[in-house]
Amino acid sequence: MSTYVYAGAADWGGKDPAKCNRGLYRLSTDTGTWTALEKGLPEQVEVRCITLHPGNAGVLFAGTQAGPYRSTDAGDTWEPMDFPDDEPVVWSIEVHPADARVMYAGTQQMAIYRSDDSGGHWRRLPVPNPDGLCVMGFPTRVIRLAIDPTNPDEIYAGLEVGGLVRSLDGGTTWTDCNAPLLHLAAQESFTQRHGSRRASEGMMDTHALAVSAAQPGTVFLANRLGLFRSADRGEHWSDMAIGRFSPLTYARDVKVFPHDAHTLLGAFSIAAVSDAGSLYRSTDLGATWSRFDHDVSIDSTLMIIAASTQSPERVYCAARRGQVFGTEDGGRSWQACPLPAGVEGIYALSCV
């Protein structure tokens, strides 16, 4: 039986939009071939996230420039989900771990929506403008949502470039978690890295969030400056000092391994646009790290990690300029899986 890896491409700042090969693609791991998934999706679709249904591997959701889409046949066909027209660009989708009828979606204009009927209807949640929000050349987007698997009412939303906000009641109310991050940003070691730009910009440049069932209430944050950890639901933060283990410290992704809540995977590179990336693994919730990838040279910023929920042996990654690679044997060997020529701007990756 074939298993699948899904990759989504969108416009990105280092490439002329007119020359971008956007789209949603599916890799059959048994044949090594990619298929462009187009039926039911918008023309020239830009995919910012791909989320698998936690209880049905054939059901998946894609965040696009025209709202969220759903497939019930492993990506063969897609249908749009009813979503407010004023916030169409969806960057993140998260499904409640115990009740798949409950879904959350984060959009380009720093909005978060909740659905209680599997995406049939959505309501906008009252998300505040956090302290330290940096106005950039693009709208502030909810780039990642993370739910505590031990307490699904506890939700964290990562904002690019705006730090993060938190809800402890299933999204009914939200609070700003940036004060301790801004305190860290004032330290000289974190302000030297931004030149003449706003001193706190790097700390506010959230890329990913993760929460592990092994330590409820502990949040892991990946941003431009590295990895940070809060043991008290975002009340205080500390630097995980990834530079002790990796020469590359620009952190683009952090994931909890689905088969061991003590294991984290981290994507580290030089900068947003660079010619090198690296995949690291920690088996002790970030106390120590070691290089996990090998055999494949990563030639651009490593953007995203996807670990299979079905097989502990299967992990895939994607880099900025379209490079996808993975392991089917728990990291003993790695293989490159080149996307079709010209496909770049990989923001989304999921692995069955």
Side-chain angles (χ1 to χ4, degrees):
M1 186 174 106
S2 181
T3 56
Y4 295 128
V5 178
Y6 300 90
D11 291 348
W12 62 285
K15 183 85 170 179
D16 181 351
K19 299 178 181 178
C20 283
N21 289 335
R22 314 164 183 87
L24 179 55
Y25 301 86
R26 183 180 65 196
L27 172 71
S28 296
T29 59
D30 56 346
T31 65
T33 56
W34 289 95
T35 301
L37 305 179
E38 300 173 338
K39 190 172 183 180
L41 288 169
E43 187 176 350
Q44 289 291 302
V45 64
E46 296 186 53
V47 180
R48 303 293 183 176
C49 68
I50 304 166
T51 302
L52 299 178
H53 189 288
N56 187 338
V59 176
L60 57 157
F61 309 94
T64 79
Q65 80 273 26
Y69 278 70
R70 172 173 43 216
S71 172
T72 59
D73 53 13
D76 286 338
T77 61
W78 295 83
E79 61 179 2
M81 303 172 75
D82 190 16
F83 200 71
D85 291 336
D86 56 341
E87 295 284 355
V89 185
V90 173
W91 275 82
S92 50
I93 297 173
E94 194 73 15
V95 181
H96 191 291
D99 183 357
R101 295 172 300 177
V102 178
M103 301 176 63
Y104 298 90
T107 76
Q108 180 169 275
Q109 297 293 345
M110 207 175 69
I112 302 173
Y113 291 80
R114 172 173 166 145
S115 173
D116 294 306
D117 57 3
S118 302
H121 303 84
W122 298 84
R123 70 179 188 275
R124 184 167 178 167
L125 304 176
V127 179
N129 284 342
D131 289 341
L133 180 68
C134 297
V135 177
M136 307 296 289
F138 51 83
T140 303
R141 47 218 188 192
V142 182
I143 196 167
R144 188 67 60 89
L145 294 164
I147 298 175
D148 188 329
T150 67
N151 178 15
D153 282 341
E154 188 175 312
I155 310 161
Y156 300 87
L159 312 177
E160 188 185 25
V161 178
L164 72 155
V165 293
R166 174 196 73 190
S167 175
L168 301 180
D169 54 14
T172 301
T173 60
W174 293 80
T175 56
D176 178 353
C177 295
N178 283 352
L181 290 172
L182 292 169
H183 179 74
L184 273 179
Q187 298 179 15
E188 185 179 3
S189 59
F190 296 127
T191 59
Q192 288 179 334
R193 308 183 194 183
H194 316 304
S196 61
R197 291 180 292 183
R198 184 172 178 174
S200 61
E201 184 183 309
M203 193 65 74
M204 294 296 98
D205 193 10
T206 296
H207 296 144
L209 298 169
V211 184
S212 171
Q215 283 189 350
T218 297
V219 189
F220 300 95
L221 163 67
N223 66 23
R224 191 189 304 174
L225 301 180
L227 288 183
F228 296 83
R229 175 182 180 272
S230 172
D232 53 10
R233 298 175 173 83
E235 297 293 330
H236 302 84
W237 292 89
S238 60
D239 182 12
M240 296 176 69
I242 189 62
R244 294 175 297 158
F245 309 100
S246 169
L248 309 181
T249 57
Y250 174 92
R252 191 72 206 192
D253 199 9
V254 59
K255 293 281 176 63
V256 178
F257 189 56
H259 303 278
D260 179 3
H262 290 88
T263 296
L264 301 177
L265 299 170
F268 307 119
S269 300
I270 301 171
V273 181
S274 66
D275 58 3
S278 56
L279 174 64
Y280 275 70
R281 178 175 63 177
S282 170
T283 57
D284 50 16
L285 280 174
T288 60
W289 295 81
S290 60
R291 185 83 183 249
F292 191 36
D293 66 286
H294 54 85
D295 300 335
V296 177
S297 177
I298 306 174
D299 57 14
S300 63
T301 300
L302 191 62
M303 294 292 289
I304 191 164
I305 306 161
S308 169
T309 57
Q310 295 189 2
S311 169
E313 303 290 294
R314 184 177 302 121
V315 178
Y316 280 78
C317 296
R320 170 79 76 179
R321 296 193 178 98
Q323 183 182 20
V324 176
F325 65 98
T327 178
E328 292 283 342
D329 56 15
R332 290 182 293 277
S333 63
W334 295 81
Q335 299 81 37
C337 308
L339 278 159
V343 178
E344 297 189 7
I346 307 301
Y347 284 98
L349 193 73
S350 283
C351 179
V352 176

